[in-house]
Amino acid sequence: GESLQQEEALLEPASRLQSLRDRDTVTRFDREVSIYPSLSVIVPLRVQPSSGRLTPSVLQVDPDRAGRHDVPLDLSTRVKFREAARRVRPKKQTNSFMYKSFEAYNFFTFNFEPDPQDGSERSSRKRKKLKKAATEEDRDREGGNEARDEEAPLVRDEEEDLFVIEQSSQDFLEVRKAEYVGYRKLIQRERESELFFTPSFRTVPTSIKLPENMKPRYLEDEGLYVGERPPVSLTNENILENRILKMEEKWFGDDGRIMALPDPIKESSTRPPLFHMEEDLDPALQTVYRKVRYTPTATLRSPPVFRSADPEGDYQLDVDVSGLIFSHHPLFSREHVLGARLAQLYDQYLTRQHNNLTGHLTDKLNGLRSALRNMLEIHGGQSLTQAINTRQLRDSEQEKDRTLLKNIVKVWKEIKALREFQKFTNTPYKLYLRRETVDQASDEQEYEDEIFAEVVELEAESEEDYQRKLAEYKKQLEEWKLSRRKQELSESEGPLEEGPPKPEPPEKPDFDSIEQRVREKASRIRRKPGESILIPELSASGNITASELCPKAEIARREDVARRSLFIKILYNDKEVSRTDSRSLNTDFRVHFGQIFNLKIVNCPQSINLQVFEEIGSSCSLLAQVFVPVPEPSVLTGGVPLEEFEFSSNQRVMFDHEGVGSDVPLSFEADGSNKQTLLTSGKLSCCVSWGIGEDDVPLAPPVSQQPGGMHSGLGRLDAVSYIGASGLYDMKKIGEWATQSRLDPNDPKNSSIMQLLKVASSGEVTAPEYFRLEQLQEEFNFVTDEELERSRRFRLLRLRNQEVAEFRNYKCVPALEREVTDKVFQDYEKRLKEGEIIDTKEHLDSHRALVAKYLQKIQESVINRFLLAKHHYLLSDLVVEEEIPSIGILGLNLFKLAEPKRPLKPQRKERKKVTAQNLSDGDIKLLINIIRAYDIPVRRPQMRPFVEVSFQRTVLQTTTADGPNPCWNEELQLPFSAPNGDYSTASLQSVKDEVFINIFDEVVYETGTDKDRGTTHTRAEKHWLGSVKIPFSTIYSQSRIDGTFKVNTPAVLLGYSKERSHGNSGGYDILRSLSEGAFITVFITIEPQLVPGESIREKFDSQEDERLLQASERFERDAAQGYPDRPCITTVIDLNGKTVFITRYIRPLNPPQELLDAYPNNPQEATGLVARFVSLIPSLPDRVSFSGACDLWSTCDQFLTLLAGDEEEHAVLLCNFFLSMGKKAWLIIGTAIPEGPTAYVLTFEQSRYLIWNPSSGQYYGQYDTFCPLQTVGCLVNADNVWFNVQEYASPMRMSFDTTKAKLWKPFFSRSFSHPGLSSVQPEELVYRRVDKAAATELQDRIEKILKEKIMEWRPRHPTRWNRYCTTTLKQFLPKLELSGGRDMAEGHRHELQSLLGDNRISGFPLHLPFSEIRPIIEAVYSTGVHNIQASNVEFALAVYVHPYPNNVLSVWVYLASLVRS
Amino acid sequence: MLNLCSVTRKTVVDVLCGVVFQFPEYDNLYCKYCFVYGHDWAPTSGLEEGITQITCKGSQSSHKLIWNFPLETTFKSTNPSGWPQLVVSVYGPDVFGNDIVRGYGATHIPFTPGQHTRTIPMFVPEPTWRLQKFTSWLLGRRPEYTDPKVVAQGEGREVTRVRSQGFVTVSFHIMTKDMKKLGYDTGPSSPRNTQSATSGWSTEEQP
């Protein structure tokens, strides 16, 4: 007896605990249940009310959880039981039964778990049993061992098979009555103690439970659905209510009852049945324990499987495939198409007729009208909207009816016409139109009434509208008047404010037109009064013409039809489970299958798919797929009508016979218009339902197992038939249907759809119309964007990453925000700001400032493009690989081995190139080897010239040499430092520094003699003789510069004379005079050798013909292969970044008229002047400005607007001028020193060739030794490009006769003729007039700036200006300009000397094209005139700016120093 | 600029020891190393790049080439971005005695203080085509990277084709300073005792 008590005590708290645990998970697993079709077990547990504690009487237990809890429970109980048994057994030795522990266990579990199959009945029986057991226990206690004997009738009572053990369990169990304290007793006890509150069990009056002055409201009486409340005993409820009242909590509903959720008990138990003990277990079914293998992926992926152990799991789906009808088939003849259409229309007609919407609506309208009339009588002035809506609906329905009827008749007529035309019939359709005569008078009366009613309504409506508008108008008018008055008042004070416009009064409705409109509409959509009603009737009773009588094409079609057969595959969960027999296609395109497939299923149904296959001979093809929804569990075989599923396929089929095909445009009109494209389509009639077992048991899974909540929510209601299957996914339609069908929102059956609608209607939850790729982005935003923006440190990092020029190589970004000062950004922000402001200080000229800005913009865009392109790598950028040696190279190498060694003729070796990456300041040196100079101006009696090289403000000089042809042969090393210490290629390419090579003459004056010591004091002065400047970028790109350069000497050198070159007086005067001038031979290189920046590889887009581009690519490739050192250009890039063929740039263009007018009689002078004009346009090497990215060619007008460009632009402009002046001119693409690859101009005059340097305006004869042009790559004119294929490339040793194909390879030849490329140049150039005033102003400003600068450069000495000398010089400068800087020296010197008498004067005029002030300052500085240390020195500075058309300016600076001797 | 910012210090103490496996014909290898680091990093002591001695296979550990070459470098930085990487390239003579590259490899220097061992897989660029493979073998001029530093970055690597070749084992001893002060906690749970000890790097080469 003791042990059972123990057992109970153990079980009860455990189950209670379990219940508590489950309670909090109820909602969660509820949802789980609905999602996963797992079996849930509902276990009613009985709780002993002995303690008076309130426990939920009904508990829901998750099967899994319950099972999990059970296991330890079972174990513990089992152990307990064993212990008990062990204790008991010695007492009961007489017991003849051998009790197995599991049997006992079964007994205990059975006591507390209901039998699921028999449901409540069983449980109640069990309760009874328990009660009986309890009584027995009582007895047992009293009667001791005798109790066993009394058990027999009890078992018999049960009549069902009780377990054997049950009969004897009491033998060893001591059972005691549970101690029960009555409620009254409890209260009594409580009263005694006064400590506890024990709620009363009396019924609480409703009035207390509800808020004051509120009547109880019974929702159920109002027709609302109220769920079934869980059964709770009245006493308990009362106690609960009392307690809640005491606790003052809101737990009462409107009806004054405790709020309760619907009863969660399922109708049927879903617990898997247990095997009955007495059934002999098949030995094969012995359970074997296996450890659970848990594979998370498998459980995720595989669909939920019905419990295989579940005997109910043998579900059956019946798929009834009855047949299919084609609404279009490729083998349809035209008549079939029409027939199908007719049938379709007729079907539509029938359904419409069946629904009789028009009739309904008419009735409704009439009803509404009468109701309205009543209402008007009572209230007057009510809204008409519902009537209007109904009327509009009715009208549209009527219109549809009428058009449908019309269409039916039309199609039938077409069929008839077609049958007549083709002289045979294919379809059995026949249409009869039955006439129903109507009573003319009454009909007319009705018609008129209808119209009248409508007119009245419309009138009322428009009247109402008018009234509303009028009221509004009046309101507005009032406002307007008010504002007017205000305005009038305020007129004196200020300007007139714009008041609201005067409102327009609304128009009165036009009642006459209303009736007209109504009549028009009626005649359109309604049957005319008196017209008989037409009722179409379609029958398929017609005869089909026999095949023999048909034409050949039709016979072919029919044969084709006969050959075809169809079958349907049934795919369950995408696996083929069955297929129908193959049935041949009938002439009426209907196939009857009539097969039912019973699918025994284990897996949860996810998709049922029917595939329609067409068989022709042995080959079969998939026509279409039909997805059939998985039926509701309530859909059982026998009770479901066949459904028709539409299908279609977009396969293109064409025939050569009568069949119209599919996806082929088809026209019924004679002229082939109004084409239609028909696709194979049809209807498959089938039905899928759950099977019924032998004993009428539905073989369907329980409701909860059904996946897809939406379908189950809708399926029971007739939503599908209302909005169609496709509409199920259209929220709007569902919503419409839900409102119209007045769904009960409180019915739990509708909960899923109501929730869906709620989600759909509330705007927030609507699915966005965009797809977000990084929906998790926000998770990773650790600060807001604003904060990120504000962070200076982050900004710095970002700018550096963007490779913004100021920050490109910024080192060591501070670690903390506060350490980043705003100073860092100052430059950058200034630059950003100044993008808009023109700095006149820098530029002196607004136009040039604009140009500079424009250039900067181009430069930026090109640099950006370049930076992008830099990230595209080729294999050769990354990997050094030996090329496969060709036989030629091998042979050459062999030949070299045999070559005799010539130690006395050393050759410059290629040095190893250094990548710029691991360089730092001081690593790079510029090596300048000054070799010798020729023909420098001579000073008598003896001159001591030396060379001074300045670069980046480092100045080095050679020793002095003697005579006019000095030889120094000295090497100077100048350090080089890159801007910001950035030695990357891009940065080096943009270095704008220039190397100045100045030739000076050292003049030694004796200042006095110290007689005591016998020494003389001397003072050395240096006089500037001339200079050569070479930009660093040229050195960098060419890696070495080796040659003889013309020294840029001033036009006048006071105190110096030119030694005339002797000999060859037979030459032309001009030529000889040109070869005059000083020359210097230098060799310049960079140590270590840097890798020059590679040219950009990016392919620019082009508007040129693809063929031309290919040809030019081929031409250039061939040229590069044959003569790698000769530049060849056929395509260039214009300012827009587009590839343009080079000949488009050449076109005769007019030079400024002023220049031509200057020397009307001397064409040679005019030519010189034009060349000078071109050379005065400042040169801007675009290799510098565009950082070596690419060479951009601007057209002449762009060039003249920008007033800056490199050699190519100069050359093109000069060439075009020459062409317009009637000369034969070509563009030479070649290399020159010091420019490197460049463009010159070649002219043919007086039977000799002249080579023009466009950037200096100089010209050279073909045989001029000092011509800077070294190699000639190709010649270009407007028609063609010729590539130099001669042996030599230097102009002296070659012929310029382009007609000789042996010497010049033309681009356009007979095989590829000139396609007539139009020019990119403008037709005519327009020049701006000479602006003298601006020039004068500029002149003054330059003078002022230069004077300031010179004083600045002499900080320790006073700088005095000799005004007299300055004016003299000033007068002299215009003359120099006029003469082009020639032949003035002698006269001028004499003039000056006579003027200034005993002053020792040294100085010279400088001539520059004007671009910016900076180059002028640099040039003045490099002459070193200011360096004179003598105390009594005076300076003279004169500036002259000569304007040329189009704002081209020539600047002369005359700087002289005077020392009084 | 540098004095403005407080500086993350980071000491790298490396001892190299190399092991080459399974290559009887690869012998007499030496190793060039260099560090690649971002803008904010600056070496304060030690060499940025260097070269090890040539090592031959030992008699006992037959297939290993051991350099045991210590390199010691200290970096400072203000920013963890551009954390230094060690780039290693191994060279050795081929059958004709030409010095050719045997492998490139790179690894980030470990973040956490303490002792670390890294095994760097090595690779060499492949010739573009077969014939070139043959001629490069014949002439002893295998394809090489223009700059070994490219193996430390991803940009442009897509145009190359490489073959893997052996491993180099490097052992690091890392010390950091003031990282926490700047808000970077890279250390192990108790970074108080950052111990510095000896270490080694080793190379293994495999085809």
Side-chain angles (χ1 to χ4, degrees), chain A residues 179-192 198 201:
Chain A
E179 202 187 325
Y180 175 73
V181 186
Y183 194 73
R184 280 166 203 281
K185 223 176 183 179
L186 252 178
I187 293 174
Q188 218 169 5
R189 212 193 283 168
E190 186 243 332
R191 273 195 198 129
E192 284 162 17
T198 312
F201 57 90

Side-chain angles (χ1 to χ4, degrees), chain A residues 1218-1429:
Chain A
F1218 283 163
L1219 286 172
S1220 121
M1221 287 161 79
K1223 289 180 198 291
K1224 274 187 171 175
W1226 294 266
L1227 206 63
I1228 305 175
I1229 307 292
T1231 54
I1233 45 173
E1235 305 99 313
T1238 184
Y1240 275 56
V1241 177
L1242 179 78
T1243 54
F1244 184 66
E1245 280 176 274
Q1246 299 164 15
S1247 70
R1248 65 206 159 88
Y1249 289 99
L1250 291 182
I1251 297 164
W1252 295 80
N1253 182 350
S1255 12
S1256 69
Q1258 304 277 13
Y1259 58 102
Y1260 309 88
Q1262 190 191 345
Y1263 305 106
D1264 198 327
T1265 351
F1266 292 111
C1267 176
L1269 191 67
Q1270 300 292 300
T1271 52
V1272 177
C1274 52
L1275 292 184
V1276 182
N1277 74 357
D1279 304 319
N1280 212 339
V1281 178
W1282 293 271
F1283 182 68
N1284 179 9
V1285 287
Q1286 303 170 44
E1287 195 180 341
Y1288 299 104
S1290 89
M1292 259 184 289
R1293 298 157 90 174
M1294 59 187 285
S1295 156
F1296 282 107
D1297 189 358
T1298 52
T1299 50
K1300 287 179 182 156
K1302 254 190 204 168
L1303 305 178
W1304 294 96
K1305 180 187 168 196
F1307 183 82
F1308 295 115
S1309 56
R1310 228 169 281 162
S1311 56
F1312 184 67
S1313 59
H1314 192 272
L1317 300 170
S1318 62
S1319 179
V1320 291
Q1321 304 281 15
E1323 275 186 34
E1324 200 181 354
L1325 290 173
V1326 183
Y1327 300 97
R1328 265 180 295 151
R1329 303 290 302 171
V1330 174
D1331 188 359
K1332 283 211 168 125
T1336 323
E1337 193 192 328
L1338 184 67
Q1339 185 179 315
D1340 293 344
R1341 290 179 68 177
I1342 292 174
E1343 193 174 331
K1344 203 173 149 228
I1345 289 168
L1346 281 180
K1347 273 185 180 169
E1348 277 167 12
K1349 281 282 171 192
I1350 288 170
M1351 288 196 271
E1352 200 183 300
W1353 293 331
R1354 296 167 53 83
R1356 293 184 192 169
H1357 304 277
T1359 308
R1360 284 183 290 272
W1361 298 102
N1362 189 323
R1363 217 176 282 163
Y1364 180 61
C1365 184
T1366 303
T1367 39
T1368 320
L1369 297 178
K1370 221 170 226 172
Q1371 284 163 1
F1372 173 63
L1373 284 175
K1375 289 183 204 157
L1376 267 178
E1377 172 60 42
L1378 209 63
S1379 69
R1382 280 194 305 269
D1383 302 333
M1384 292 293 296
E1386 290 303 313
H1388 173 58
R1389 194 170 50 214
H1390 290 306
E1391 197 181 329
L1392 264 185
Q1393 247 146 27
S1394 65
L1395 277 169
L1396 297 164
D1398 49 353
N1399 282 327
R1400 192 153 46 76
I1401 183 165
S1402 68
F1404 36 79
L1406 294 170
H1407 177 232
L1408 303 152
F1410 177 74
S1411 58
E1412 276 178 59
I1413 190 77
R1414 202 179 58 85
I1416 300 174
I1417 296 168
E1418 284 290 322
V1420 170
Y1421 182 83
S1422 70
T1423 60
V1425 172
H1426 58 276
N1427 286 340
I1428 289 179
Q1429 308 290 325

Side-chain angles (χ1 to χ4, degrees), chain B residues 162-175:
Chain B
V162 297
R163 183 160 48 85
S164 71
Q165 204 153 273
F167 297 92
V168 170
T169 309
V170 192
S171 90
F172 292 95
H173 289 268
I174 310 294
M175 285 198 291

Side-chain angles (χ1 to χ4, degrees), chain A residues 105-175:
Chain A
Y105 158 66
N106 255 347
F107 162 72
F108 285 112
T109 46
F110 262 78
N111 250 348
F112 290 92
E113 300 217 343
D115 194 334
Q117 273 184 326
D118 298 10
S120 53
E121 191 204 340
R122 268 298 280 263
S123 63
S124 71
R125 203 185 296 159
K126 208 156 290 156
R127 257 174 242 157
K128 229 188 287 170
K129 200 165 70 188
L130 262 177
K131 227 183 262 171
K132 268 185 190 154
T135 51
E136 210 170 339
E137 275 157 20
D138 281 2
R139 240 179 283 162
D140 210 27
R141 207 165 46 159
E142 291 156 20
N145 282 350
E146 287 164 32
R148 215 198 327 158
D149 303 330
E150 291 176 73
E151 247 182 19
L154 201 126
V155 175
R156 251 173 268 126
D157 263 357
E158 286 294 337
E159 91 199 6
E160 251 209 57
D161 32 352
L162 271 178
F163 297 132
V164 197
I165 39 159
E166 246 179 295
Q167 300 170 342
S168 54
S169 58
Q170 280 82 10
D171 293 351
F172 50 89
L173 293 175
E174 196 188 350
V175 181

Side-chain angles (χ1 to χ4, degrees), chain A residues 987-1037:
Chain A
S987 154
L988 286 178
Q989 275 171 336
S990 60
V991 172
K992 282 190 179 176
D993 295 315
E994 289 182 325
V995 180
F996 289 95
I997 301 170
N998 293 306
I999 304 173
F1000 288 97
D1001 181 23
E1002 192 182 62
V1003 186
V1004 182
Y1005 295 105
E1006 288 183 18
T1007 49
T1009 328
D1010 193 344
K1011 278 166 191 167
D1012 302 340
R1013 291 182 195 166
T1015 50
T1016 36
H1017 291 270
T1018 53
R1019 185 165 47 84
E1021 257 177 38
K1022 52 179 189 178
H1023 290 183
W1024 185 71
L1025 298 180
S1027 75
V1028 177
K1029 57 176 181 185
I1030 295 158
F1032 175 78
S1033 57
T1034 312
I1035 305 169
Y1036 178 63
S1037 61

